[in-house]
């Protein structure tokens, strides 16, 4: 099984510290939240173009166009399936003018990268949306159905390469959970992690991998163009406008939610937590956010802080169990 290589955390921190500190910390000096409505930083712990980045920039646009926050800023700090950004946020104890995108991927990244920080070390603000992943093959693949792929996979688990995002992330969890569901030893899965959809697509088209898992919306244009074929969707039920059967519709008990939310730094005041929660609640109630959900095929899964904290606890345990049981990490 292929494992991702992670740079030492100290080296990663050294590489990014100057840029991030200059852009985020020095630019926002208040610790009492008094300027949050004037200037709020949204930290994206991944590279531009991914799901977290898209979420953040849609939030930014909705906040600004509706006057909810006068000057919202988005800063990207990729690394370690989100754990580098998590580490930076945890070190900003008491900072009340910054929030960070989080989601299923980060929970897996914490386990796989043996992160000393956990999402539980932050202040939950709100869950936002969830989207659905799909299993893709090249348009000219011999696997034209999910059963075709599973049949070949069973015959040669190690020789069937499955691509996707970071090891321990949503794509990886789906691959290993699917393997277990169909009777394949999860530890035998030949999972090839990539930095994002921009790397997964050429790997699929060049047949460097036999199949890949990724966000349906991310590859929808390629499916419509016939370059890719989607074999199964991770949604709990059939989705209007998406002509792809779910795993459940194909007789497999598999549903791995890929949700996104926002958290704040630890140690902030109750007043600041409430203010940040109000900002998010106002933002997700706008027509701009509704349009963003529809455009990106996101399902509304908004939960305020207390409900989100409960979800984080249960999801952290679930993701850790899947990772350990599949042999991805000890």
């Amino acid at each position: 099984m292929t494992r991702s290589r992670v740079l030492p955390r100290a080296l990663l921190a050294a590489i990014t510290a100057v840029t991030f500190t200059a852009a985020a910390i020095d630019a926002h000096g208040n610790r009492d939240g008094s300027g949050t409505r004037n200037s709020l930083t949204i930290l994206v712990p991944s590279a531009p173009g991914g799901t977290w980045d898209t979420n953040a920039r849609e939030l930014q646009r909705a906040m600004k166009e509706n006057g909810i926050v006068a000057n919202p800023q988005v800063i990207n700090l990729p690394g370690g399936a989100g754990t580098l950004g998590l580490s930076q946020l945890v070190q900003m104890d008491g900072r009340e003018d910054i929030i960070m995108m989080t989601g299923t991927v980060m929970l897996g990244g914490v386990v796989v990268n043996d992160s000393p920080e956990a999402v539980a070390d932050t202040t939950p603000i709100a869950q936002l949306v969830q989207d659905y992943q799909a299993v893709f093959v090249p348009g000219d693949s011999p696997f034209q159905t999910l059963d075709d792929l599973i049949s070949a996979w069973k015959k040669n688990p190690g020789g069937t390469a499955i691509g996707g995002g970071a090891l321990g992330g949503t794509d990886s969890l789906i691959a290993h959970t699917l393997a277990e569901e169909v009777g394949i030893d999860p530890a035998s899965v030949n999972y090839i992690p990539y930095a994002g959809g921009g790397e997964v697509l050429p790997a699929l088209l060049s047949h460097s991998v036999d199949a890949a898992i990724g966000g349906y919306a991310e590859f929808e244009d390629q499916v419509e163009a016939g370059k890719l074929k989607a074999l199964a969707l991770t949604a709990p039920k059939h989705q209007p406008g998406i002509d792809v059967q779910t795993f459940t519709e194909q007789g497999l008990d598999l549903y791995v939610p890929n949700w996104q939310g926002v958290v704040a730094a630890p140690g902030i005041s109750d007043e600041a937590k409430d203010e940040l929660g109000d900002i998010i609640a106002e933002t997700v109630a706008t027509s701009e956010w509704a349009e963003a959900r529809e455009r990106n095929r996101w399902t509304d899964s908004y939960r305020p802080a207390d409900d989100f904290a409960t979800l984080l606890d249960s999801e952290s345990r679930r993701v850790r169990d899947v990772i350990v049981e599949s042999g991805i990490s000890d």
Side-chain angles (χ1 to χ4, degrees):
M1 179 178 59
T2 302
R3 294 180 181 270
S4 60
R5 297 179 62 192
V6 181
L7 288 172
R9 296 176 65 82
L11 177 57
L12 283 169
I15 292 172
T16 58
V18 174
T19 300
F20 185 79
T21 300
I25 299 176
D26 291 345
H28 299 286
N30 67 297
R31 297 177 62 93
D32 61 1
S34 60
T36 303
R37 292 278 181 170
N38 292 322
S39 186
L40 176 68
T41 295
I42 307 173
L43 172 59
V44 178
S46 64
T51 302
W52 282 337
D53 184 67
T54 303
N55 265 264
R57 295 183 191 280
E58 296 285 15
L59 283 173
Q60 178 189 40
R61 184 172 73 89
M63 287 176 183
K64 192 169 184 178
E65 291 190 9
N66 290 276
I68 297 168
V69 176
N71 186 33
Q73 300 293 319
V74 174
I75 294 176
N76 295 83
L77 185 64
T83 57
L84 180 56
L86 173 62
S87 176
Q88 292 290 325
L89 184 70
V90 170
Q91 293 177 46
M92 296 180 191
D93 187 276
R95 291 299 306 270
E96 299 181 343
D97 53 5
I98 185 166
I99 56 176
M100 181 184 73
M101 299 302 308
T102 189
T104 314
V105 172
M106 185 178 289
L107 300 183
V110 166
V111 180
V112 171
N113 292 285
D114 195 23
S115 171
E117 295 87 19
V119 181
D121 296 326
T122 67
T123 302
I125 299 299
Q127 183 184 11
L128 299 174
V129 294
Q130 63 183 30
D131 59 2
Y132 302 118
Q133 309 299 95
V135 176
F136 299 94
V137 294
D140 60 353
S141 169
F143 311 132
Q144 291 300 294
T145 67
L146 181 62
D147 284 343
D148 290 342
L149 173 63
I150 290 172
S151 178
W153 199 9
K154 285 183 174 180
K155 292 176 182 176
N156 188 8
T160 304
I162 310 294
L167 193 65
T170 311
D171 303 339
S172 174
L173 294 177
I174 292 169
H176 290 84
T177 302
L178 175 60
E180 186 172 26
E181 179 69 19
V182 301
I184 297 171
D185 180 3
S188 71
V189 174
N190 181 16
Y191 184 79
I192 313 297
Y194 294 93
E199 293 185 7
V200 172
L201 180 59
L204 269 172
L205 296 179
S206 66
H207 294 267
S208 296
V209 294
D210 298 289
I213 298 168
Y216 180 78
E218 191 171 4
F219 297 109
E220 184 174 12
D221 290 347
Q222 302 298 322
V223 172
E224 293 179 350
K227 293 182 178 180
L228 298 180
K229 183 176 180 63
L231 303 183
L233 194 70
T234 60
K237 61 182 180 179
H238 195 84
Q239 295 298 297
I242 301 180
D243 188 22
V244 181
Q245 284 191 317
T246 67
F247 285 101
T248 303
E249 289 176 307
Q250 299 182 65
L252 294 171
D253 184 18
L254 191 154
Y255 168 52
V256 179
N258 184 43
W259 53 265
Q260 291 84 46
V262 291
V263 295
I268 65 173
S269 66
D270 289 342
E271 292 78 11
K273 177 182 174 181
D274 291 344
E275 178 75 344
L276 291 171
D278 288 346
I279 287 172
I280 296 300
E282 292 168 26
T283 302
V284 300
T286 64
S287 60
E288 285 78 8
W289 184 252
E291 291 166 4
R293 289 202 316 267
E294 182 177 356
R295 184 171 56 252
N296 293 286
R297 294 195 180 278
W298 296 334
T299 297
D300 181 20
S301 61
Y302 171 77
R303 297 174 190 238
D306 290 345
D307 289 345
F308 185 36
T310 300
L311 175 82
L312 282 174
D313 180 61
S314 62
E315 280 288 278
S316 295
R317 286 185 275 108
R318 181 186 68 83
V319 169
R320 179 177 291 277
D321 288 346
V322 171
I323 289 174
V324 172
E325 290 172 7
S326 67
I328 298 174
S329 182
D330 298 326

